[in-house]
Amino acid sequence: MKKIKYFLSVMLFSVLTLIFIKNANADVIVITVKRPNHIGHTSIISQDKNGKWFYFYWGNEVAYATEVPDEYMKNIDTLNKWFFINRKSFEKSSRFYAYGTYIKGDFTKSTEYYNDVVKNYKTWKYNLLFNNCTNVSNKALEKGILLNGKPFKSQMKYNLKEYIPFWSIFPHNYRKIIERNFIGTEHHAFPDWGKVTDKKILSLIDGTYKSSKK
């Protein structure tokens, strides 16, 4: 009898483990900003298979991947706080973001792709027209699977003009571009990841921030 109970317990644990693994998510967040007199910047933060968040940056001078502590992943304001605290480490990159779109699914392949791209980064690989921050972010997103089991790429209706860097709304409305191009699939753009509300961060983005230190 004890052996039967033990066997049933092991079976139940195995089934629950399989269900958990099957339903485990590795989400992604698309973050964008457009500053005065600048084209702007687009990037993604995505989870690996262990659920850890990684911020990726692709630019004309530097590219990198760095882990973001969970406590700073509550919303776009807390993310920007993390950038502010670590601002000296991001001197050659865009450090603050104004918009965020949270998309649920399995984006482990996106994380792996971006890690590989960063690992093999060379300054000449960046191209403002054909391999800019949005292009690379798009390629990463296309590796992801949405909650309905379909590839991210298959659920998007692409329009070439929406990815030209000098298009009038690039990239701060990239969030809206993604949302209106989804083809009837389940996705989530949580309000708390929408638009930055922290006044200090807004002043840093538009260049009006004045330090209290003389």
Side-chain angles (χ1 to χ4, degrees):
M1 190 68 177
K2 289 184 178 179
K3 289 184 178 180
I4 294 176
K5 288 183 178 179
Y6 176 79
F7 176 78
L8 290 174
S9 298
V10 171
M11 287 295 293
L12 179 61
F13 177 79
S14 300
V15 170
L16 290 174
T17 301
L18 288 173
I19 291 174
F20 176 79
I21 292 173
K22 184 179 179 180
N23 293 333
N25 290 329
D27 304 333
V28 68
I29 301 171
V30 181
I31 47 179
T32 63
V33 65
K34 184 176 181 181
R35 296 172 296 178
N37 303 317
H38 288 79
I39 296 171
H41 187 70
T42 299
S43 191
I44 68 171
I45 312 171
S46 59
Q47 290 180 299
D48 65 5
K49 62 182 180 180
N50 297 314
K52 293 182 178 180
W53 289 99
F54 289 88
Y55 165 68
F56 297 98
Y57 180 84
W58 177 265
N60 62 334
E61 294 184 64
V62 66
Y64 53 81
T66 182
E67 185 178 349
V68 184
D70 287 341
E71 60 264 33
Y72 294 106
M73 291 301 301
K74 295 178 181 178
N75 52 56
I76 197 167
D77 282 328
T78 57
L79 174 70
N80 280 315
K81 181 179 180 180
W82 177 70
F83 280 115
F84 187 77
I85 293 172
N86 298 282
R87 57 192 179 279
K88 291 184 179 180
S89 300
F90 301 108
E91 290 180 354
K92 290 186 176 181
S93 67
S94 177
R95 299 190 300 272
F96 306 103
Y97 293 86
Y99 300 89
T101 300
Y102 192 115
I103 305 171
K104 283 194 170 184
D106 182 0
F107 287 87
T108 52
K109 294 294 183 183
S110 301
T111 305
E112 292 171 3
Y113 169 81
Y114 228 132
N115 271 317
D116 186 60
V117 169
V118 167
K119 183 179 178 181
N120 295 288
Y121 174 80
K122 301 291 182 183
T123 53
W124 59 265
K125 290 186 177 182
Y126 176 91
N127 185 289
L128 184 59
L129 292 176
F130 306 110
N131 205 37
N132 57 57
C133 55
T134 301
N135 297 139
V136 176
S137 294
N138 284 346
K139 292 174 184 176
L141 289 169
E142 289 175 357
K143 308 292 183 183
I145 304 296
L146 296 167
L147 285 181
N148 62 358
K150 296 182 180 180
F152 177 92
K153 185 177 182 179
S154 72
Q155 301 296 284
M156 290 291 290
K157 295 182 293 183
Y158 289 104
N159 188 331
L160 181 61
K161 75 172 185 177
E162 294 178 339
Y163 302 98
I164 297 175
F166 299 103
W167 191 40
S168 60
I169 69 167
F170 177 89
H172 64 302
N173 277 341
Y174 185 58
R175 170 175 60 94
K176 294 180 180 179
I177 292 172
I178 290 177
E179 291 174 359
R180 72 168 176 263
N181 279 301
F182 263 106
I183 306 173
T185 187
E186 185 178 1
H187 73 289
H188 301 264
F190 296 149
D192 58 346
W193 270 102
K195 185 176 180 180
V196 65
T197 58
D198 188 285
K199 292 183 179 180
K200 178 185 289 185
I201 299 302
L202 286 172
S203 66
L204 286 164
I205 291 172
D206 62 26
T208 61
Y209 174 76
K210 294 181 179 180
S211 175
S212 59
K213 293 182 179 180
K214 293 183 179 180

